[in-house]
Amino acid sequence: MSAARQGGRGRDPERVAYLNARLLDPASGLGTEGDLLTDGEMIADFGPGLFKDGIPEGTQTVDCAGLCLAPGLVDMHVHLRDPGLTEKEDFPSGTRSAALGGVTTVVDMPNTRPPVTTRAVLQDKRTRVRGRAAVDYGLFAAPRSEGAVSQLRDATAFKVYMAESTGNLQIDAETLGAVLHASAELGRLVVAHAEDEHRFRKGQPATLAGHSESRPKESEASAIRSLGALRGEARVHIAHVTCAEALAAVPEGVTTEVTPHHLLLDTGRPLQAFGKVNPPLRSPEDREALWDAFAAGRIDALATDHAPHTREEKEERFDEAPSGLPGIATSFPLLLRQVRAERLSLERLVDAMASRPAEILGIPKGRIEVGADADLVVVDARRVVKITARRVRYKCGWTPFEGMEGVFPSTVYLHGERIVEDGEPIAEGAGRPVTRIEA
Ligand code: DOR
Ligand code: ZN
C-alpha cells in the first residue's frame, strides 16, 4: 500500500485529499476511519465520509486505506549541536533524522557553542540556522541572571540547569529564583534540568549502575522539591524525569517530560558509555515503574533529549566519556511498536508526542484541526522493522536502540509539503521558525 501522491514531487500548493485513513488524533475521533483535506499549507477539513458527495474538481488524492494519519510530532528537547559542536550533529542532519521519525517540530537546547545566554548569541544562532532545517524549529535560551530574561524574551522557552551537565550552564538557587520570578512576569515557560549536585556521590563510576548511583534518584526528587519552593508564579516544566520518586515530588501545576531511553533502556543493558546520560538510566524495576506512570498518563510529554556525541568520545574510559545519547528518529517508531504490543494506548502516544508538548510550549502545532499547519505523518502500523544506525542517519553514526523494533512513517508532510517519501528524506530546508501563541 502506498501513500504516494498522484502528481509531482515536493510542494503542491493546491488541495489534497487523504482518503480512508485511520486518523490518529483524539480531537478528530481517534482511530476512526476518515478523510482529510488540505488546502495549500493548512488542514481544511477532516472526518468520516468527507467526500461522500464526491471529491472537488482539481483535488489531488492520496490513498491512505489501511494507513494511519497522525499530526506531525513535536520534540521539545533536542540538542542539534549547531553552531560549535557540528562534529556531533548539525541542523540539517538532526532535522533530517527528526523527519524520518515523524517529528515535524523540534526545540533546540541552548548548550551549543557559544551557549545561548545573550541576545546577540540568540540572534546569531537564529541567523545561522535559517533555511537549513528540514522541519520547523524553536530555540531555547539559558538566562543566567534576572536581567538576561528580558534580553532573551524572543526565545521559544527558557532552559535552566540545576546541576552540571554538558555545557556547564548550571546556576545557583538564588539566581534560579530570580530567573523564575522574571520569567513569570513575562509569562515564559521555564524547562528545568532538575538534579541536585549536593546529593551526588563522589567517585569515578565505571558502569551504568555506578553512574546511576553517583547521580541518584534522590538528587532528582530533591531538585524538584527546590523548584517547587522557588517557582512562585512561573510556568515550570521538568525535563527527563527518570523515576517514580522524582514524579512523586512534582508539585501541582508543574508539567513533566520523559525520554524514550528512560522508558525503554536501563542499567541492565550492555551499552557501557553509549548508555551514559544525565540524569542516568535507572534499574529495570525503576524503568518499569516509570513506564507504568507514563502509560497511565501521569507524565505529560515525551521528548527525546537527543544529545549525540561521536563514537570516539563514547569509546573513551567510562568516567571520561561525555553524557548524552541520540534518539530523535526513533521515539515515535519505538513507541508505536509499544502501541502494537498493547502496552500503550494510541491516545496516550499522540497526546504525549504531539498535542501536549505543543500546548506546553504554546505553539500552534500537534493537532489535526481545521486551520492548523498540514504537518502530517502517514504510517503503516503493521510495518515493523529493526532499528539500525544506517536507517536513522545520525551524524554520530550510532543509536542506543540498535536492533530494537520500530514502526517508521512512510510519508511525512510539513505545511503540506512532502519531506519524507517511502521512508526517505526528500526535502531539505523547508523548516521555519515556530511562533508562540501569546497568552
Ligand atoms: O546527558 C546529557 N547530555 N544531559 C544533558 O543535560 C545534556 C546532554 C548533552 O548536551 O550532551
Ligand atoms: Zn538535554
Side-chain angles (χ1 to χ4, degrees):
M1 232 158 307
S2 147
R5 185 184 294 183
Q6 309 299 303
R9 293 175 76 89
R11 177 160 296 288
D12 302 278
E14 63 274 37
R15 280 194 304 260
V16 182
Y18 301 78
L19 306 175
N20 307 311
R22 274 185 80 200
L23 299 174
L24 298 193
D25 187 311
S28 62
L30 182 82
T32 55
E33 193 166 287
D35 309 314
L36 185 143
L37 179 69
T38 60
D39 195 353
E41 300 186 353
M42 284 178 340
I43 297 173
D45 207 352
F46 61 83
L50 194 61
F51 304 111
K52 59 182 183 308
D53 299 326
I55 298 171
E57 193 76 14
T59 306
Q60 292 190 356
T61 57
V62 179
D63 179 12
C64 292
L67 305 177
C68 299
L69 193 60
L73 308 160
V74 177
D75 191 337
M76 65 183 294
H77 189 154
V78 304
H79 299 262
L80 299 185
R81 310 302 196 195
D82 195 347
L85 297 160
T86 50
E87 71 283 2
K88 301 175 197 274
E89 193 74 284
D90 58 28
F91 246 71
S93 62
T95 54
R96 190 184 310 133
S97 295
L100 285 176
V103 172
T104 53
T105 303
V106 297
V107 192
D108 191 48
M109 284 294 167
N111 61 342
T112 33
R113 274 203 200 139
V116 186
T117 54
T118 67
R119 186 174 174 78
V121 174
L122 177 61
Q123 280 172 341
D124 181 58
K125 181 165 174 176
R126 189 171 289 139
T127 308
R128 282 168 183 263
V129 304
R130 187 169 298 139
R132 295 168 62 229
V135 301
D136 284 1
Y137 57 92
L139 300 178
F140 276 98
R144 306 193 71 223
S145 68
E146 187 169 355
V149 168
S150 70
Q151 292 250 324
L152 295 167
R153 63 192 306 154
D154 294 342
T156 307
F158 297 142
K159 177 72 182 285
V160 292
Y161 290 86
M162 298 173 74
E164 168 282 326
S165 200
T166 313
N168 289 324
L169 288 171
Q170 71 271 31
I171 50 179
D172 61 29
E174 195 182 329
T175 312
L176 176 60
V179 165
L180 287 166
H181 180 76
S183 304
E185 304 230 299
L186 277 181
R188 288 290 186 280
L189 177 71
V190 180
V191 175
H193 179 124
E195 287 183 287
D196 177 354
E197 291 191 313
H198 301 109
R199 309 279 174 133
F200 288 179
R201 299 191 191 136
K202 297 238 169 341
Q204 294 181 318
T207 62
L208 290 177
H211 185 55
S212 176
E213 279 158 26
S214 75
R215 301 175 76 117
K217 295 188 283 176
E218 305 89 82
S219 72
E220 276 184 83
S222 164
I224 294 169
R225 280 193 297 274
S226 307
L227 267 174
L230 291 169
R231 106 185 129 111
E233 302 291 308
R235 280 203 296 131
V236 173
H237 174 81
I238 299 174
H240 42 52
V241 289
T242 71
C243 55
E245 292 82 345
L247 278 175
V250 176
E252 192 66 37
V254 168
T255 54
T256 51
E257 144 198 322
V258 69
T259 69
H261 48 272
H262 291 113
L263 286 176
L264 297 168
L265 304 175
D266 55 49
T267 53
R269 294 248 172 190
L271 287 166
Q272 287 81 30
F274 287 88
K276 186 180 173 191
V277 63
N278 295 330
L281 297 181
R282 304 298 186 193
S283 70
E285 298 72 34
D286 288 328
R287 182 176 63 71
E288 283 296 330
L290 189 69
W291 179 274
D292 290 346
F294 174 65
R298 295 200 297 274
I299 300 175
D300 293 276
L302 186 137
T304 61
D305 195 5
H306 176 78
H309 296 284
T310 64
R311 258 181 208 285
E312 294 69 34
E313 290 169 311
K314 285 295 205 178
E315 279 161 358
E316 298 270 316
R317 248 179 50 193
F318 188 94
D319 60 324
E320 294 191 346
S323 293
L325 37 88
I328 203 167
T330 50
S331 57
F332 180 65
L334 284 163
L335 274 286
L336 193 54
R337 181 71 187 86
Q338 296 295 312
V339 172
R340 289 273 301 160
E342 300 186 354
R343 299 194 66 226
L344 187 71
S345 75
L346 255 181
E347 184 162 15
R348 192 70 266 269
L349 172 79
V350 178
D351 198 45
M353 296 199 66
S355 327
R356 260 323 255 152
E359 198 169 66
I360 291 166
L361 290 161
I363 59 172
K365 295 284 188 181
R367 281 183 196 283
I368 292 184
E369 197 166 72
V370 174
D373 288 341
D375 299 346
L376 296 165
V377 174
V378 180
V379 60
D380 183 344
R382 296 158 301 190
R383 269 185 56 189
V384 177
V385 299
K386 284 245 188 309
I387 290 171
T388 61
R390 203 166 150 267
R391 181 181 289 273
V392 295
R393 296 169 192 241
Y394 301 143
K395 205 173 196 180
C396 68
W398 61 276
T399 162
F401 302 104
E402 183 80 34
M404 291 174 72
E405 288 184 339
V407 184
F408 285 82
S410 51
T411 316
V412 179
Y413 298 87
L414 181 74
H415 341 109
E417 178 176 359
R418 259 170 304 163
I419 58 170
V420 171
E421 188 171 270
D422 295 328
E424 295 291 319
I426 59 160
E428 315 244 312
R432 303 172 187 169
V434 291
T435 45
R436 260 190 334 265
I437 310 161
E438 293 294 339

